[in-house]
Amino acid sequence: MTVIVLTNCPTGLRGFLTRWLLEISPGVFVGNPSARIRDALWAEVREYAGEGRALLTYTTDTEQGYTFETHDHHWLPVDHEGITLIHRPTERPTGPTAATTPPRQGWSTAAKRRRYRR
C-alpha cells in the first residue's frame, strides 16, 4: 500500500499521479504500485512539487510495518532505536522584541467587556 499526500502542488502533478494512484481526497493518493513504480513516482513528485510539500508512506518489512519520506516538509522523520518518529520543530518567537517585552498585566479589553457586559 502506498499513500502520497500533496500540499500546495501544481495541478499537473496531481493529474500525473492519477495515472497510477487513486485520488481519494484532494491531494491524497492511494494505491499499490510496485517498488520500482513507487520510486519513479516519488522522483517525479520531488522534481515537480515546486513550492509545495509532499509526504510518501508505504508498507515495508520493519517493526512498524511502514516507512515514510518527506519533501520540503518542516516535520522530519527521525530514526529512534529502530522506530521512525516525526520530529516537529518548536517555533519560538524570534527578534529583538520577543525576549525583551514582558507580558501585559491585567485584564484584556474583551474580558472587561464580557465581565461588565458593556
Side-chain angles (χ1 to χ4, degrees):
M1 177 65 116
T2 299
V3 179
I4 296 178
V5 180
L6 301 178
T7 305
N8 196 24
C9 288
T11 56
L13 180 59
R14 289 175 56 190
F16 172 77
L17 288 176
T18 57
R19 294 178 188 170
W20 290 277
L21 304 172
L22 179 65
E23 187 172 17
I24 59 171
S25 184
V28 180
F29 300 87
V30 296
N32 197 15
S34 66
R36 190 180 94 212
I37 297 296
R38 180 190 66 228
D39 292 341
L41 289 175
W42 185 241
E44 293 292 320
V45 166
R46 292 180 64 186
E47 183 177 346
Y48 294 110
E51 297 291 320
R53 299 181 308 189
L55 176 72
L56 167 71
T57 183
Y58 54 93
T59 56
T60 58
D61 189 22
T62 62
E63 287 283 328
Q64 290 175 302
Y66 63 89
T67 189
F68 46 89
E69 300 177 26
T70 61
H71 173 71
D72 283 349
H73 209 282
H74 297 292
W75 298 359
L76 300 173
V78 177
D79 183 40
H80 181 72
E81 296 182 5
I83 296 177
T84 305
L85 303 173
I86 289 287
H87 178 265
R88 299 186 332 181
T90 57
E91 294 185 25
R92 296 185 179 156
T94 59
T97 61
T100 59
T101 306
R104 299 171 92 190
Q105 298 293 323
W107 295 87
S108 68
T109 305
K112 290 176 188 174
R113 288 182 183 155
R114 276 195 304 267
R115 184 172 181 167
Y116 300 112
R117 301 200 190 265
R118 289 187 185 178

